[in-house]
Amino acid sequence: MHRTTMAAGAAGGVLGAGLAVLAAGRYAAGAALRTTRDGTGPVPAGFGGPALTVHAVTGEQSPGDITLTRSLASRLPGVYGLAGRRCHAVVGPVLPEASVAAGPGAVVRRLERTGPGGPPAARMRMRLTPAVHAGHPRGVPGAPGAECADVEVPGELGPLPTWFVPGERDTWVVAVHGLGTTREQPLNLLPFWRGLRLPVLLPAYRGDHGAPRPRDGFGHLGGSAWRDVDAVVRYAVRRGARRVVLHGWSTGAAMALHAAAAPAGGDGTSPEPVALGRVAGLVLDSPVLDPRATVRALAAARRVPRPLLPLVVRAAEGRARLRPDPSGAPPGPPEPRAPVLLVHGPGDVVAPWQASREFAERYPDLVALHPVEQAPHAAMWNADPEGYEERLRRFLTPLL
């Protein structure tokens, strides 16, 4: 009897421990996928790095110089937003000589301009962000005459707040932001699109501030929100767009790819077979093509213990509705049905570069892969704005 009781107790302990581990995996998966209403999303601001301390700001007027804590993030080449509490600025390249003079623990960058909240000040804590503009499109420098209307696009779960910047062409751009950002991030390219006289729609989608909340409260890595992209395409066509270019970042890129591949307005229930045949091209920036790898990266960013990561991935497959095929392989991206410009960097730790390479190799007639070095996730433009825009111009010109 004593042995039976001990065996039962041991079995109960093992079962209890197993259930606890399973619950922990589900909790961690939920933390990785949970949406937020303020745009911070599942990816920590500053690409997962720590906040930076502002040590000094020189120059009363922009451009000036700003001295920041030395880190991998603060030394990134290119142009980035610098976001703090009630403060936003734009920083340009690292200034090598000034950085040496500032000492081993500091980096000096060009302070290009300041945004809402006034200039940064010493001792502020701020983070680098790919979004170099904060606020409404009407305030974007370098986009002369950029009128903007706030419209609501009817979506599957409710109205989608959308910025509409009119243009003269009948090819429209639908710009879809991704993980941890808001529709402010695509504003990086608003001066470029304005130069090509393209109408632009910048939607908020399910889970964003002001947009409908997902029914379960979780993001699905684009696995359901692509229907909102489809709704925006239909809106554009009803208002005169003959062709649409989908430009997406991160999960927004995955959403664009799914929307362009889906028949009959998304799920086959729409009376308007719009997306299929209307999408003239896709620009995929740091696309999430391997959801399992991205879930692992998001969980690791949230400091989930390494032994739990396999459980987190399995739990996330259920929460995010990522259905593997019968062989157990992760769900793959759909086949593109329009020309694709895929811009990605080998240094991306959120969406694996290898998945983009394999995708481009699988569809060489449709997909052009443009690698960008020293660029974090969804920051390909930031690392090389001129090169990015020139590549984009060559891709878009035949589609206009």
Side-chain angles (χ1 to χ4, degrees), residues 296 305-315:
R296 283 194 297 271
R306 184 178 295 273
L308 283 180
L309 291 180
L311 285 173
V312 170
V313 172
R314 273 182 285 183

Side-chain angles (χ1 to χ4, degrees), residues 54 56-57 66 82 87-90 111 113-115 117-122 124 126:
V54 177
V57 179
I66 185 167
L82 192 63
C87 179
H88 188 276
V90 179
L111 179 61
R113 65 177 182 271
T114 59
M124 276 187 176
M126 306 185 78

Side-chain angles (χ1 to χ4, degrees), residues 15-16 36 56 61 80 110 114 120 127 142 163 186 212 242-243 294 303 305 358-359 363 384 388 390 398-399:
L15 180 60
T36 63
Q61 302 291 331
Y80 289 89
R110 176 70 66 191
T114 59
R127 293 181 184 273
W163 289 326
R242 296 185 62 188
R243 293 170 298 277
T294 297
R303 296 183 174 85
E358 293 173 355
F359 184 70
Y363 305 109
D384 181 16
Y388 189 107
E390 180 57 29
L399 308 179

Side-chain angles (χ1 to χ4, degrees), residues 5-298:
T5 303
M6 288 180 63
V14 171
L15 180 60
L19 290 175
V21 170
L22 182 60
R26 288 180 59 82
Y27 175 81
L33 296 172
R34 191 176 300 280
T35 62
T36 63
R37 307 293 283 178
D38 61 359
T40 58
V43 175
F47 319 106
L52 305 170
T53 299
V54 177
H55 297 294
V57 179
T58 62
E60 295 296 326
Q61 302 291 331
S62 299
D65 298 344
I66 185 167
T67 306
L68 302 167
T69 304
R70 188 177 185 84
S71 71
L72 290 175
S74 66
R75 288 181 290 157
L76 285 169
V79 179
Y80 289 89
L82 192 63
R85 191 173 184 181
R86 297 186 297 274
C87 179
H88 188 276
V90 179
V91 295
V94 173
L95 303 175
E97 293 183 5
S99 297
V100 171
V107 169
V108 182
R109 300 186 73 121
R110 176 70 66 191
L111 179 61
E112 301 288 356
R113 65 177 182 271
T114 59
R123 293 187 294 278
M124 276 187 176
R125 300 281 284 170
M126 306 185 78
R127 293 181 184 273
L128 284 184
T129 166
V132 300
H133 303 291
H136 202 273
R138 282 191 292 266
V140 174
E147 301 176 3
C148 179
D150 292 282
V151 301
E152 287 191 339
V153 173
E156 181 185 49
L157 302 182
L160 306 172
T162 301
W163 289 326
F164 171 52
V165 181
E168 301 168 20
R169 296 187 184 273
D170 55 12
T171 297
W172 291 34
V173 174
V174 174
V176 192
H177 67 274
L179 285 167
T181 64
T182 69
R183 52 187 169 148
E184 292 171 319
Q185 183 188 4
L187 294 179
N188 293 357
L189 284 166
L190 184 57
F192 172 82
W193 290 322
R194 286 287 298 166
L196 292 179
R197 299 178 289 123
L198 292 166
V200 184
L201 288 165
L202 301 104
Y205 52 82
R206 62 189 71 188
D208 286 345
H209 178 72
R213 191 172 185 83
R215 293 189 179 100
D216 58 3
F218 295 100
H220 300 153
L221 299 180
S224 56
W226 64 265
R227 295 184 179 89
D228 294 342
V229 178
D230 179 75
V232 178
V233 172
R234 283 185 270 131
Y235 179 92
V237 171
R238 287 197 298 270
R239 278 151 184 79
R242 296 185 62 188
R243 293 170 298 277
V244 175
V245 173
L246 299 179
H247 193 142
W249 287 257
S250 183
T251 50
M255 290 158 55
L257 186 58
H258 281 276
D267 56 5
T269 62
S270 168
E272 303 173 75
V274 174
L276 188 62
R278 291 287 189 166
V279 175
L282 298 101
V283 183
L284 308 181
D285 186 316
S286 314
V288 173
L289 302 179
D290 183 348
R292 283 180 171 178
T294 297
V295 167
R296 283 194 297 271
L298 296 179

